[in-house]
Amino acid sequence: VNYDTMFKQIRKVLSGAGGKVSFNMGEMLDSLALDHITNLTTMLVPFFAGLSRGFLMLLTKSSNINNLLAIEPNDQTVVSWSLNSRRMIEQHEPGTADLSERIEAARKCQQHGYRIRFRIDPGILHPDWRADYAGLIEKALTIVKPENITLGMLRLLPGHFRLATDAYGNRARKLLDHNFVRGASDHKLRYPPQERIEFYTHLI
């Protein structure tokens, strides 16, 4: 509800920056999941239209785009969909839009004039992952032409194991039952390097 304070802070950041600044609204939350309640995009998107060096990054796993389609798009706003294979969405992303709904929402937003990106992340190794992710990419890129695609794989801080297990029980234990290695710089647990190389190479 503190919209005026937010807009002032955005302007302050831009005034002190030497170049362009991206404001990522999807780092710790879903940008659109509650937009039908907050109506935040109806204020943010027009606000960023007037900022030559500021960019709004919306990241979502939802198909909640009615507000976006009701307002004028602009080059300062980018809408990015987090995608995963159909199987991983069904198993590990309950309550989110399914793969077809996300891709269709992206298509509608692109047709409306928004800049569109995809984020295939977190990539999860599972039986038949090669076929599943190939199907995801073929389906997505047949329907939408994103300006950028970001790739990522499952990575966790040690505490995430406990949180995930407490929340999802055996489903999480199965997901986390892998030979993860600890990163030297950020201490996050990741798949071994060779498995990550194989995953990224396959998707590319």
Side-chain angles (χ1 to χ4, degrees):
V1 297
N2 56 337
Y3 301 133
D4 289 340
T5 300
M6 178 173 60
F7 293 149
K8 289 177 182 177
Q9 290 176 344
I10 291 172
R11 289 193 181 96
K12 182 178 181 179
V13 169
L14 285 172
S15 67
K20 298 177 180 179
V21 180
S22 292
F23 294 85
N24 184 355
M25 194 176 151
E27 182 66 22
M28 300 299 291
L29 53 88
D30 189 299
S31 302
L32 300 181
L34 300 177
D35 197 49
H36 59 292
I37 298 172
T38 66
N39 296 312
L40 186 55
T41 57
T42 64
M43 292 172 274
L44 275 176
V45 173
F47 173 77
F48 273 86
L51 304 178
S52 61
R53 294 186 297 109
F55 295 86
L56 174 64
M57 309 294 293
L58 302 173
L59 179 62
T60 188
K61 295 181 180 181
S62 83
S63 57
N64 194 14
I65 59 170
N66 288 343
N67 281 342
L68 289 179
L69 298 182
I71 57 180
E72 190 71 23
N74 55 68
D75 289 339
Q76 308 306 111
T77 301
V78 179
V79 191
S80 181
W81 268 266
S82 176
L83 303 181
N84 219 313
S85 72
R86 190 184 309 276
R87 189 182 325 217
M88 293 298 97
I89 290 174
E90 290 174 355
Q91 290 182 11
H92 303 298
E93 298 180 357
T96 65
D98 66 29
L99 179 60
S100 295
E101 290 171 337
R102 296 182 201 185
I103 294 172
E104 177 61 13
R107 184 194 68 79
K108 288 179 179 178
C109 282
Q110 185 165 61
Q111 191 175 45
H112 191 62
Y114 284 101
R115 296 170 57 188
I116 301 299
R117 296 182 181 183
F118 284 150
R119 184 179 186 92
I120 303 175
D121 183 20
I124 299 172
L125 300 182
H126 59 279
D128 298 326
W129 67 263
R130 292 173 182 81
D132 284 358
Y133 282 101
L136 151 66
I137 291 172
E138 182 176 3
K139 182 177 179 65
L141 298 188
T142 298
I143 297 173
V144 181
K145 298 295 181 283
E147 66 177 29
N148 180 280
I149 302 174
T150 299
L151 303 179
M153 291 192 76
L154 183 66
R155 58 215 175 270
L156 303 158
L157 289 167
H160 288 155
F161 280 92
R162 178 180 54 79
L163 291 172
T165 302
D166 288 347
Y168 299 108
N170 288 333
R171 207 152 33 111
R173 293 187 190 96
K174 184 177 180 181
L175 174 66
L176 304 176
D177 184 20
H178 203 89
N179 185 29
F180 290 105
V181 295
R182 189 183 300 274
S185 59
D186 60 9
H187 304 295
K188 287 184 179 179
L189 301 165
R190 292 179 170 85
Y191 293 108
Q194 189 55 45
E195 293 184 3
R196 303 206 310 267
I197 291 170
E198 184 179 357
F199 179 84
Y200 292 131
T201 301
H202 178 71
L203 265 64
I204 291 168

